[in-house]
Amino acid sequence: PRVCNREGVVAAMFLFSCCCNVDDPGQPVEDFQSPRKSTAIVDHPAIEFSVEFVKTDGALIGVSVDDFDGEKLHITGLREDCLAARYNASAPSSMRLAPGDYIMSVNKVSADGLEMLRLLREEKGVELRVRKPLNWVVNLGRERRKAPLGIKLRYGSNSKSLIVTDIAPGLVQQWNAAHPEQQVRVCDRITAVNEVRGAPTDMMHAIQDSSELFLQLSRPRGA
Protein backbone atom coordinates (compact mmCIF):
# COMPACT_ATOMS: atom_id res chain seq x y z
CA PRO A 1 0.00 0.00 0.00
CA ARG A 2 1.10 3.54 -0.67
CA VAL A 3 2.36 5.39 2.37
CA CYS A 4 2.49 9.17 2.48
CA ASN A 5 4.42 9.67 5.72
CA ARG A 6 7.92 10.87 6.50
CA GLU A 7 9.77 9.23 9.37
CA GLY A 8 8.95 10.83 12.70
CA VAL A 9 5.73 12.48 11.52
CA VAL A 10 2.51 11.55 13.33
CA ALA A 11 -0.80 11.59 11.46
CA ALA A 12 -3.21 14.24 12.66
CA MET A 13 -6.93 13.45 12.37
CA PHE A 14 -8.88 10.21 12.47
CA LEU A 15 -12.60 9.57 12.49
CA PHE A 16 -14.41 12.16 14.65
CA SER A 17 -11.51 13.26 16.81
CA CYS A 18 -8.94 15.86 15.85
CA CYS A 19 -5.56 16.23 17.48
CA CYS A 20 -3.41 18.13 15.02
CA ASN A 21 0.32 17.54 14.99
CA VAL A 22 2.58 19.99 13.20
CA ASP A 23 6.08 19.16 12.07
CA ASP A 24 8.29 20.65 9.34
CA PRO A 25 6.98 23.78 7.60
CA GLY A 26 6.61 24.25 3.91
CA GLN A 27 9.86 25.50 2.46
CA PRO A 28 10.55 28.85 0.77
CA VAL A 29 12.81 28.46 -2.27
CA GLU A 30 14.47 31.78 -3.01
CA ASP A 31 18.03 31.08 -4.08
CA PHE A 32 17.79 29.83 -7.66
CA GLN A 33 17.45 32.04 -10.62
CA SER A 34 16.74 33.02 -14.23
CA PRO A 35 14.45 30.81 -16.34
CA ARG A 36 15.90 29.80 -19.72
CA LYS A 37 13.14 27.82 -21.39
CA SER A 38 9.84 26.01 -20.95
CA THR A 39 8.90 22.90 -22.95
CA ALA A 40 5.44 21.34 -23.02
CA ILE A 41 5.30 17.56 -22.71
CA VAL A 42 1.57 17.43 -23.47
CA ASP A 43 -0.21 19.63 -26.03
CA HIS A 44 -2.53 22.42 -24.90
CA PRO A 45 -3.84 22.48 -22.28
CA ALA A 46 -0.52 21.49 -20.79
CA ILE A 47 -0.81 18.78 -18.15
CA GLU A 48 2.94 18.65 -17.63
CA PHE A 49 5.76 20.93 -18.69
CA SER A 50 9.42 21.60 -17.94
CA VAL A 51 11.00 24.85 -16.80
CA GLU A 52 14.75 25.36 -16.62
CA PHE A 53 16.43 27.88 -14.31
CA VAL A 54 20.07 28.94 -13.95
CA LYS A 55 21.31 30.72 -10.83
CA THR A 56 22.64 34.22 -11.23
CA ASP A 57 23.62 36.82 -8.66
CA GLY A 58 20.99 38.90 -6.98
CA ALA A 59 17.66 37.74 -8.38
CA LEU A 60 15.19 35.46 -6.60
CA ILE A 61 12.74 33.04 -8.15
CA GLY A 62 10.12 33.76 -5.47
CA VAL A 63 8.54 30.30 -5.09
CA SER A 64 7.50 28.61 -1.84
CA VAL A 65 6.88 24.87 -1.72
CA ASP A 66 5.46 22.29 0.67
CA ASP A 67 7.52 19.07 0.68
CA PHE A 68 5.52 17.47 3.48
CA ASP A 69 4.27 14.37 1.63
CA GLY A 70 7.89 13.32 1.00
CA GLU A 71 7.38 12.55 -2.71
CA LYS A 72 6.83 15.79 -4.58
CA LEU A 73 6.80 19.55 -4.02
CA HIS A 74 3.49 21.41 -3.83
CA ILE A 75 3.74 25.08 -4.83
CA THR A 76 2.11 27.19 -2.11
CA GLY A 77 3.03 30.72 -3.16
CA LEU A 78 4.67 32.98 -5.74
CA ARG A 79 6.09 36.45 -5.21
CA GLU A 80 5.07 39.07 -7.74
CA ASP A 81 8.43 40.84 -7.86
CA CYS A 82 10.66 37.84 -8.65
CA LEU A 83 11.70 35.67 -11.56
CA ALA A 84 8.71 33.34 -11.40
CA ALA A 85 6.49 36.32 -12.21
CA ARG A 86 8.75 37.31 -15.12
CA TYR A 87 8.61 33.78 -16.47
CA ASN A 88 4.81 33.74 -16.16
CA ALA A 89 4.52 37.04 -18.03
CA SER A 90 5.88 35.46 -21.21
CA ALA A 91 4.73 31.83 -20.79
CA PRO A 92 1.54 30.43 -22.36
CA SER A 93 -1.33 30.49 -19.89
CA SER A 94 -1.41 26.69 -19.56
CA MET A 95 2.31 26.62 -18.71
CA ARG A 96 2.49 29.32 -16.05
CA LEU A 97 3.64 28.41 -12.57
CA ALA A 98 0.82 28.80 -10.04
CA PRO A 99 0.02 27.94 -6.43
CA GLY A 100 -1.37 24.42 -6.40
CA ASP A 101 0.97 23.10 -9.11
CA TYR A 102 3.14 20.07 -8.33
CA ILE A 103 6.88 19.86 -8.96
CA MET A 104 7.27 16.20 -9.86
CA SER A 105 11.04 16.14 -10.35
CA VAL A 106 14.12 18.34 -10.08
CA ASN A 107 17.06 17.49 -12.35
CA LYS A 108 15.38 14.13 -13.04
CA VAL A 109 15.20 13.24 -9.32
CA SER A 110 11.64 12.28 -8.36
CA ALA A 111 9.73 10.67 -5.45
CA ASP A 112 12.15 12.22 -2.92
CA GLY A 113 10.88 15.57 -1.71
CA LEU A 114 13.83 16.34 0.56
CA GLU A 115 16.41 15.64 -2.16
CA MET A 116 14.41 17.67 -4.68
CA LEU A 117 14.34 20.56 -2.22
CA ARG A 118 18.10 20.24 -1.69
CA LEU A 119 18.71 20.37 -5.44
CA LEU A 120 16.55 23.49 -5.76
CA ARG A 121 18.63 25.22 -3.10
CA GLU A 122 22.12 24.03 -3.96
CA GLU A 123 22.43 23.28 -7.68
CA LYS A 124 23.50 26.02 -10.09
CA GLY A 125 21.13 24.84 -12.78
CA VAL A 126 17.76 23.16 -12.18
CA GLU A 127 15.17 21.66 -14.48
CA LEU A 128 11.70 21.34 -12.99
CA ARG A 129 9.06 18.94 -14.27
CA VAL A 130 5.79 20.60 -13.26
CA ARG A 131 2.34 19.05 -13.36
CA LYS A 132 -0.95 20.88 -13.15
CA PRO A 133 -3.43 19.81 -10.44
CA LEU A 134 -6.60 17.81 -10.85
CA ASN A 135 -9.23 19.40 -8.58
CA TRP A 136 -12.59 17.93 -7.61
CA VAL A 137 -15.16 18.21 -4.81
CA VAL A 138 -16.38 15.48 -2.45
CA ASN A 139 -19.77 16.05 -0.77
CA LEU A 140 -20.10 13.87 2.32
CA GLY A 141 -23.60 15.07 3.15
CA ARG A 142 -25.34 15.73 6.43
CA GLU A 143 -24.96 12.16 7.66
CA ARG A 144 -21.30 12.83 8.53
CA ARG A 145 -22.14 13.41 12.20
CA LYS A 146 -23.65 9.91 12.43
CA ALA A 147 -20.62 8.07 11.06
CA PRO A 148 -16.83 8.50 11.14
CA LEU A 149 -15.03 10.08 8.22
CA GLY A 150 -12.42 7.32 8.34
CA ILE A 151 -9.41 9.37 7.24
CA LYS A 152 -6.14 10.52 8.77
CA LEU A 153 -4.74 13.92 7.83
CA ARG A 154 -1.49 15.76 8.45
CA TYR A 155 0.10 19.08 7.55
CA GLY A 156 3.13 21.30 8.13
CA SER A 157 3.12 24.66 9.84
CA ASN A 158 3.40 26.48 6.48
CA SER A 159 1.12 24.10 4.55
CA LYS A 160 -1.99 25.35 2.82
CA SER A 161 -3.63 21.94 2.51
CA LEU A 162 -4.31 18.74 4.47
CA ILE A 163 -2.63 15.54 3.26
CA VAL A 164 -4.59 12.28 3.38
CA THR A 165 -2.34 9.67 5.01
CA ASP A 166 -4.76 6.79 5.60
CA ILE A 167 -8.30 5.72 4.69
CA ALA A 168 -10.30 3.39 6.94
CA PRO A 169 -13.98 2.35 7.02
CA GLY A 170 -16.18 5.45 7.14
CA LEU A 171 -17.86 8.09 4.99
CA VAL A 172 -14.87 8.64 2.70
CA GLN A 173 -14.62 4.93 1.96
CA GLN A 174 -18.36 4.90 1.23
CA TRP A 175 -17.89 7.85 -1.14
CA ASN A 176 -15.11 5.97 -2.93
CA ALA A 177 -17.32 2.93 -3.44
CA ALA A 178 -20.12 5.07 -4.88
CA HIS A 179 -17.88 7.35 -6.99
CA PRO A 180 -15.09 5.24 -8.52
CA GLU A 181 -14.01 8.07 -10.84
CA GLN A 182 -13.73 10.59 -7.99
CA GLN A 183 -12.13 8.48 -5.29
CA VAL A 184 -10.07 9.95 -2.46
CA ARG A 185 -6.62 8.36 -2.27
CA VAL A 186 -3.71 8.37 0.14
CA CYS A 187 -1.46 11.39 -0.61
CA ASP A 188 -4.36 13.47 -2.01
CA ARG A 189 -4.54 17.01 -0.62
CA ILE A 190 -7.62 18.72 0.79
CA THR A 191 -7.29 22.35 -0.31
CA ALA A 192 -10.64 23.67 1.00
CA VAL A 193 -13.38 22.62 3.41
CA ASN A 194 -16.71 24.24 2.56
CA GLU A 195 -15.65 27.90 2.12
CA VAL A 196 -12.56 27.60 4.32
CA ARG A 197 -9.14 27.44 2.69
CA GLY A 198 -5.54 28.44 3.43
CA ALA A 199 -4.76 27.68 7.08
CA PRO A 200 -4.87 23.92 7.82
CA THR A 201 -6.00 24.53 11.41
CA ASP A 202 -9.05 26.44 10.13
CA MET A 203 -9.88 23.61 7.74
CA MET A 204 -9.56 21.06 10.54
CA HIS A 205 -11.96 23.09 12.70
CA ALA A 206 -14.39 23.27 9.77
CA ILE A 207 -14.28 19.48 9.44
CA GLN A 208 -15.11 19.11 13.12
CA ASP A 209 -17.80 21.78 13.28
CA SER A 210 -19.72 21.40 10.01
CA SER A 211 -22.75 19.17 9.65
CA GLU A 212 -22.26 18.99 5.87
CA LEU A 213 -18.86 18.78 4.25
CA PHE A 214 -17.76 19.85 0.80
CA LEU A 215 -14.08 18.88 0.49
CA GLN A 216 -12.06 20.25 -2.42
CA LEU A 217 -9.28 17.82 -3.24
CA SER A 218 -6.19 17.96 -5.39
CA ARG A 219 -3.64 15.60 -6.89
CA PRO A 220 -1.28 15.86 -9.87
CA ARG A 221 -3.07 15.35 -13.17
CA GLY A 222 -2.50 11.91 -14.56
CA ALA A 223 -1.44 10.48 -11.19
Side-chain angles (χ1 to χ4, degrees):
R2 190 178 184 192
V3 177
C4 212
N5 275 309
R6 267 202 325 244
E7 183 178 357
V9 177
V10 180
M13 192 279 287
F14 188 47
L15 308 181
F16 281 127
S17 63
C18 176
C19 181
C20 305
N21 293 280
V22 178
D23 200 355
D24 298 336
Q27 302 292 335
V29 179
E30 297 186 334
D31 59 349
F32 61 102
Q33 319 294 337
S34 190
R36 292 197 311 194
K37 65 180 181 179
S38 176
T39 305
I41 297 174
V42 180
D43 290 338
H44 182 80
I47 294 174
E48 187 173 288
F49 57 96
S50 295
V51 184
E52 195 169 323
F53 296 89
V54 176
K55 294 179 181 178
T56 58
D57 294 333
L60 301 175
I61 192 171
V63 173
S64 294
V65 299
D66 178 0
D67 68 325
F68 207 58
D69 75 4
E71 295 185 357
K72 52 196 172 292
L73 305 179
H74 188 234
I75 296 179
T76 58
L78 299 173
R79 286 178 53 179
E80 295 182 356
D81 57 345
C82 291
L83 290 171
R86 297 181 200 172
Y87 160 76
N88 281 349
S90 60
S93 59
S94 63
M95 296 165 58
R96 294 171 186 162
L97 296 171
D101 289 351
Y102 293 88
I103 299 175
M104 305 301 294
S105 70
V106 179
N107 290 356
K108 303 189 184 304
V109 173
S110 60
D112 187 341
L114 291 177
E115 177 63 10
M116 292 161 61
L117 188 61
R118 185 193 70 79
L119 291 171
L120 284 177
R121 290 171 165 172
E122 298 180 7
E123 291 297 302
K124 181 177 180 180
V126 292
E127 181 180 6
L128 312 182
R129 183 165 58 91
V130 181
R131 192 171 293 185
K132 289 295 181 181
L134 173 68
N135 299 305
W136 75 104
V137 174
V138 170
N139 178 9
L140 296 183
R142 294 187 180 277
E143 70 274 15
R144 62 89 64 206
R145 287 194 177 275
K146 301 178 182 178
L149 294 180
I151 55 174
K152 292 182 181 179
L153 304 171
R154 67 185 179 94
Y155 59 90
S157 61
N158 284 349
S159 295
K160 294 186 178 179
S161 58
L162 304 169
I163 301 174
V164 178
T165 62
D166 191 26
I167 300 175
L171 291 177
V172 171
Q173 196 173 86
Q174 293 172 22
W175 168 274
N176 286 349
H179 303 84
E181 296 183 355
Q182 295 180 303
Q183 289 189 351
V184 180
R185 305 176 190 166
V186 170
C187 289
D188 286 346
R189 289 175 178 266
I190 297 174
T191 57
V193 178
N194 297 341
E195 299 297 321
V196 179
R197 64 179 64 245
T201 52
D202 292 342
M203 289 189 282
M204 294 293 282
H205 288 311
I207 289 174
Q208 288 184 297
D209 297 340
S210 301
S211 60
E212 185 172 16
L213 288 177
F214 291 87
L215 307 179
Q216 181 170 308
L217 285 103
S218 169
R219 75 167 67 108
R221 286 186 176 272

